[in-house]
């Protein structure tokens, strides 16, 4: 179950950010009338209107998901104690 969630949830974040209802821009047609339009996080239209956060969030999400999904095989399942144990094997033994 844990391995499935490690693949499903990152993929789900990319799908939800790609939907056209993430970034909201409010445009003023007249002094009293406002129009709200929604865009995808990956759209450059909010970026062009100085709303930088959605595009930066989308790029960082893709980078984070890429680093999560591409993990060297020796590091999977390796605990800190195993790492320290392997390191101690190479130390010279002390003589009393």
């Amino acid at each position: 179950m844990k391995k499935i969630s490690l693949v499903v949830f990152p993929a789900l974040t990319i799908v939800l950010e790609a939907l056209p209802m993430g970034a909201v821009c409010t445009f003023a047609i007249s002094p009293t009338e406002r129009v709200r339009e929604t865009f995808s996080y990956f759209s450059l239209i909010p970026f062009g209107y100085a709303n930088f956060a959605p595009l930066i969030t989308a790029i960082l999400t893709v980078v984070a998901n890429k680093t999560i999904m591409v993990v060297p095989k020796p590091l999977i399942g390796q605990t800190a104690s195993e790492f320290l144990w392997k390191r101690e094997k190479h130390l010279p033994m002390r003589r009393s």
Side-chain angles (χ1 to χ4, degrees), residues 43-90:
S43 176
L44 292 176
I45 295 172
F47 190 78
Y49 284 103
N51 190 359
F52 305 114
L55 186 62
I56 293 171
T57 303
I59 291 171
L60 291 177
T61 302
V62 170
V63 169
N65 286 341
K66 179 76 173 167
T67 57
I68 288 172
M69 300 240 182
V70 180
V71 177
K73 193 159 184 124
L75 294 180
I76 298 173
Q78 185 179 21
T79 62
S81 62
E82 289 176 333
F83 178 73
L84 293 175
W85 175 254
K86 287 179 184 177
R87 185 183 265 177
E88 288 176 5
K89 285 182 180 178
H90 299 293

